[in-house]
Structures are given as C-alpha cells and as structure tokens.
C-alpha cells in the first residue's frame, strides 16, 4: 500500500496562493488514481481535483476550476495542487488520496480511495 504525506498548508489572505504537495512512498503513484479532497468543519469530505492512473488531463470540481491546478510527477512520485485566487470558502483540511483499483465512475467519491494522507490545514482569511 502506498503511504501519502501532505505539506504546504497554511494561512493566507483571500486572493492569495498556496501550493500543496503530496509525497508518496511504498508504491509508485503510476499505479494509482490520485486525487485531492477537502473537508471543512461540519461538512462531508469533497473531491477537489484528481487524475486517473492512466489519465492525461486532471478533473476539477466546479468550485475550484480555473483557480486550482493539479499536477503529477511520476519520476518524483509526487502530486501537487497549486491554489490561486483563494477564497474564504476554500478553508478546509486538504487530503491527498490514492485509489489502487479501477474507479472509473467513482473518481469523485471519497470511499473509492484506499490510501489517505494525514491532511494539511488551509485557512483563507477575508
């Protein structure tokens, strides 16, 4: 099973930027569908962005499209999430996730992923 460790969270003002990184170990992420999820207090964990293991183009939730950029570096076994023009509603704990099995129709469902990082807090002040 792959182990995932996130970094890069913090406190930023609205309109600012942050870059989250997820370092994988134990298995290569090339064999995983990878994704970023977030969970705000009192809310369910929601899909932010991700890419199928054989995919070329990332998928984004409507709430972050055109502001966030997902990238994968198979050589370094890492994925990252560049977040620009951050809004207070982006405040949440952000999680890196990996799915080892085919999840074609379940890419945005948290229960389709079997590997999770510990999460990193992102707080956007208004």
């Amino acid at each position: 099973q792959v182990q995932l460790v996130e970094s890069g969270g913090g406190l930023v003002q609205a309109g600012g930027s942050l870059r989250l990184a997820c370092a994988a170990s134990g298995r290569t992420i090339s064999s995983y569908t990878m994704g970023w999820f977030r969970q705000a207090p009192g809310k369910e964990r929601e899909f932010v962005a991700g890419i199928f293991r054989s995919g070329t183009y990332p998928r984004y939730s409507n709430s972050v499209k055109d502001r966030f950029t997902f990238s994968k570096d198979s050589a370094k076994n890492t994925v990252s999430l560049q977040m620009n023009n951050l809004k207070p509603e982006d405040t949440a704990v952000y999680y890196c996730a990996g799915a080892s099995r085919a999840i074609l129709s379940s890419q945005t469902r948290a229960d389709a992923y079997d590997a999770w990082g510990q999460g990193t807090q992102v707080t956007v002040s208004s």
Side-chain angles (χ1 to χ4, degrees):
Q1 184 68 289
V2 69
Q3 288 80 49
L4 304 172
V5 178
E6 304 96 336
S7 61
L11 173 64
V12 65
Q13 288 187 334
S17 299
L18 283 174
R19 185 178 181 86
L20 305 183
C22 174
S25 62
R27 297 282 299 274
T28 173
I29 60 172
S30 297
S31 59
Y32 282 76
T33 288
M34 299 298 297
W36 285 96
F37 286 76
R38 66 187 182 186
Q39 188 166 20
K43 295 188 176 181
E44 292 188 354
R45 193 167 296 189
E46 66 171 352
F47 175 82
V48 175
I51 193 167
F52 289 117
R53 57 189 175 188
S54 59
T56 302
Y57 301 105
R59 177 178 181 176
Y60 299 93
S61 68
N62 289 335
S63 60
V64 308
K65 194 174 183 179
D66 299 326
R67 299 188 297 122
F68 291 11
T69 302
F70 177 100
S71 59
K72 183 174 77 170
D73 188 333
S74 296
K76 295 182 178 180
N77 220 28
T78 61
V79 295
S80 60
L81 187 69
Q82 176 66 42
M83 306 184 295
N84 297 329
N85 190 21
L86 283 160
K87 304 176 180 181
E89 51 264 42
D90 295 318
T91 295
V93 177
Y94 283 71
Y95 297 91
C96 177
S100 59
R101 55 190 182 276
I103 57 168
L104 292 179
S105 61
S106 305
Q107 185 184 19
T108 62
R109 290 179 50 176
D111 61 3
Y113 294 75
D114 51 12
W116 291 88
Q118 82 286 356
T120 185
Q121 176 70 47
V122 171
T123 303
V124 184
S125 63
S126 58

